Amino acid sequence: MSKVKSTSFSVLKTVRDLARGLSNDLIRIRRHLHRHPELSDQEFETTKYLSEELAGIGLTPRPAQDHRGVWADLGEGSYRVVLRGDIDALPIATEVQAEYRSQVAGVMHACGHDAHAAMTFGAAAILHRLEQFGKLPQSISVRAVFQPAEETSNGAPHMIHSGVLDGVASAMALHVDPTRPLGTVGVRSGVFTAGCDAFHITFSGRAGHGARPHLTDDVVAAAAAWINQVYTRVPRSHDALDPVVVNVGAIHGGSAPNVIPNSVDIAGTVRATSLQGRQAAMETIAKINQSLRVVHGCQIETKYEQHTPPMHNDKWLSERMRVAAGELLGESNVHPISEPSMGAEDFAFFAQQVPAAMIRLGIKGSRVGHEMLHTPKFDIDEAALAIGSAVLALSVIEIAESLSTEPRNQTCSV
């Protein structure tokens, strides 16, 4: 990896000291959010709470449309960088036993968005103090963004429509990673996460008695054949080096064991790391639908209801984050990510508009932080909050220092 000019020792030490000093506040904010989770598109109280915290450190909160999501600006430079944290929770009943466990039945922060919000706040607080100390580079301005509805992929478009990327040159974010030890990060340029399309398919036709399937269109058999063929054909109809994954997550049909129903519904996802892979999967699904209509005589209606594009990490920005993490944590604790994740990330919508980069932050401590994302026992080692805040803040400083030696476009209009 290329070597670049390192951040001055005084700024590095100041960032470290400020992050440590903020640790208790970051834990307080994260625990408040963890106790009071809100589902996607319902983050009104979370937005209000974070707005109050931003105002409390002297920043001016700007709520997004519908008062779901908020951002705040600092610095006066022409190169404006977004630091984005997501804020929505998941419909999962918590099994966390800590005193800060979710107080909302059936809802919890099982993907670390409470931590992302706290660390984005922490980075903004660090950079605001640097600005007050006269140590924030004059070339830089920062927009701390707290985004709703990441889990449904509605949040990033909502914030973009609200104007959050106006005048922005680039965007950065991080995501907690329970597979990585505390004090480490994972970095990657290029494709970072797969794109995802949610689908809903309805099989409809003649119903009838289970004893006489020949008088029906047997939509249950058609749906079963569809699943088997999609699982077999899609991965064998496209280059295996450009991965595509189809998953069926829900099947609904029928109400009695001796009745062949008139409809069956299937819902699931198509994930691909390229638009070519996505298109190939959809074309294969269309061919399977056509053949099953002939064989079973039923109608098959396909709807793609939600799209998230692949997330591409900008090479230059990824390097800035890598260098910053290496200075803070030591080069040996910054690990390359060899392959993209097949999980989706709606930060990809930001990356379609401006250069963007995301890193993985280790949260696995000796006693907590081992549980996987989207599970009822998910939790983090809260020492990661100060680390993540410092990495984000130092990445902004690294951008400024690199701009002084390799100038790039200072603003971006969207």
Side-chain angles (χ1 to χ4, degrees):
M1 292 183 178
S2 61
K3 297 293 183 180
V4 301
K5 176 184 174 184
S6 61
T7 304
S8 69
F9 175 77
S10 62
V11 173
L12 176 61
K13 182 178 185 303
T14 301
V15 169
R16 279 200 179 109
D17 291 344
L18 288 172
R20 291 192 191 102
L22 282 167
S23 182
N24 288 338
D25 281 333
L26 299 177
I27 291 172
R28 172 182 59 81
I29 290 170
R30 184 257 169 173
R31 290 186 177 186
H32 175 92
L33 297 176
H34 201 85
R35 289 189 191 98
H36 307 286
E38 293 181 299
L39 292 173
S40 302
D41 300 318
Q42 300 176 21
E43 307 94 334
F44 300 105
E45 291 301 317
T46 301
T47 297
K48 180 180 177 182
Y49 174 77
L50 291 169
S51 297
E52 292 170 351
E53 291 292 333
L54 289 167
I57 61 171
L59 297 178
T60 301
R62 296 180 58 187
Q65 294 179 2
D66 300 331
H67 291 269
R68 290 184 301 106
V70 63
W71 71 84
D73 292 339
L74 61 100
E76 299 180 353
S78 59
Y79 187 100
R80 176 176 290 158
V81 56
V82 157
L83 300 179
R84 174 273 209 173
D86 37 16
I87 63 176
D88 55 328
L90 285 159
I92 295 175
T94 186
E95 294 180 14
V96 173
Q97 298 302 311
E99 58 85 16
Y100 51 81
R101 71 197 305 267
S102 171
Q103 302 300 302
V104 181
V107 182
M108 70 171 291
H109 275 289
C111 197
H113 294 187
D114 52 343
H116 300 166
M119 289 184 282
T120 301
F121 174 87
I126 291 169
L127 293 165
H128 185 47
R129 290 306 303 272
L130 289 177
E131 183 181 21
Q132 293 174 324
F133 296 159
K135 292 186 177 182
L136 184 68
Q138 294 183 353
S139 61
I140 283 286
S141 62
V142 178
R143 178 165 290 168
V145 176
F146 302 87
Q147 178 214 297
E150 189 279 329
E151 295 293 349
T152 60
S153 288
N154 297 324
H158 167 75
M159 295 300 283
I160 293 169
H161 187 68
S162 296
V164 79
L165 293 183
D166 291 354
V168 166
S170 63
M172 296 188 295
L174 52 73
H175 201 297
V176 295
D177 187 345
T179 71
R180 298 181 185 278
L182 181 71
T184 68
V185 300
V187 296
R188 174 181 173 82
S189 63
V191 180
F192 192 70
T193 61
C196 180
D197 288 270
F199 62 77
H200 184 273
I201 298 182
T202 299
F203 299 80
S204 58
R206 293 175 298 166
H209 199 292
R212 291 176 285 277
H214 61 290
L215 300 179
T216 76
D217 292 325
D218 204 350
V219 293
V220 173
W226 187 93
I227 294 172
N228 286 327
Q229 290 194 35
V230 164
Y231 279 9
T232 302
R233 290 300 307 148
V234 169
R236 299 185 69 82
S237 300
H238 184 63
D239 188 348
L241 298 179
D242 184 17
V244 177
V245 177
V246 180
N247 179 67
V248 171
I251 306 173
H252 301 283
S255 58
N258 62 341
V259 175
I260 294 173
N262 62 2
S263 68
V264 171
D265 294 321
I266 289 178
T269 56
V270 176
R271 300 174 186 270
T273 59
S274 71
L275 295 179
Q276 293 83 359
R278 172 180 182 255
Q279 184 63 31
M282 291 181 175
E283 289 175 357
T284 300
I285 288 171
K287 291 176 182 178
I288 291 170
N289 291 351
Q290 183 179 9
S291 67
L292 291 178
R293 288 188 189 101
V294 174
V295 172
H296 292 273
C298 62
Q299 298 300 310
I300 304 175
E301 181 183 6
T302 304
K303 294 181 180 179
Y304 292 97
E305 300 171 330
Q306 175 186 314
H307 169 65
T308 308
M311 169 65 202
H312 285 263
N313 270 354
D314 178 79
K315 182 177 181 181
W316 185 82
L317 275 179
S318 296
E319 180 66 3
R320 305 288 73 75
M321 298 190 82
R322 184 197 70 79
V323 170
E327 290 180 344
L328 189 73
L329 303 172
E331 290 286 346
S332 63
N333 291 312
V334 180
H335 305 144
I337 299 173
S338 59
E339 301 293 340
S341 167
M342 294 307 291
E345 169 57 64
D346 91 338
F347 190 52
F349 288 105
F350 282 35
Q352 285 186 324
Q353 302 293 320
V354 298
M358 173 180 277
I359 62 172
R360 304 284 186 193
L361 179 74
I363 57 167
K364 183 170 66 174
S366 59
R367 291 180 295 177
V368 68
H370 301 75
E371 301 292 339
M372 292 296 99
L373 300 170
H374 289 223
T375 62
K377 293 183 180 180
F378 176 80
D379 202 353
I380 72 167
D381 188 318
E382 292 178 317
L385 299 174
I387 295 171
S389 299
V391 169
L392 287 175
L394 204 62
S395 295
V396 172
I397 304 301
E398 170 60 27
I399 286 175
E401 296 204 350
S402 293
L403 286 173
S404 67
T405 58
E406 43 181 309
R408 294 165 69 87
N409 290 336
Q410 298 295 290
T411 60
C412 178
S413 297
V414 295

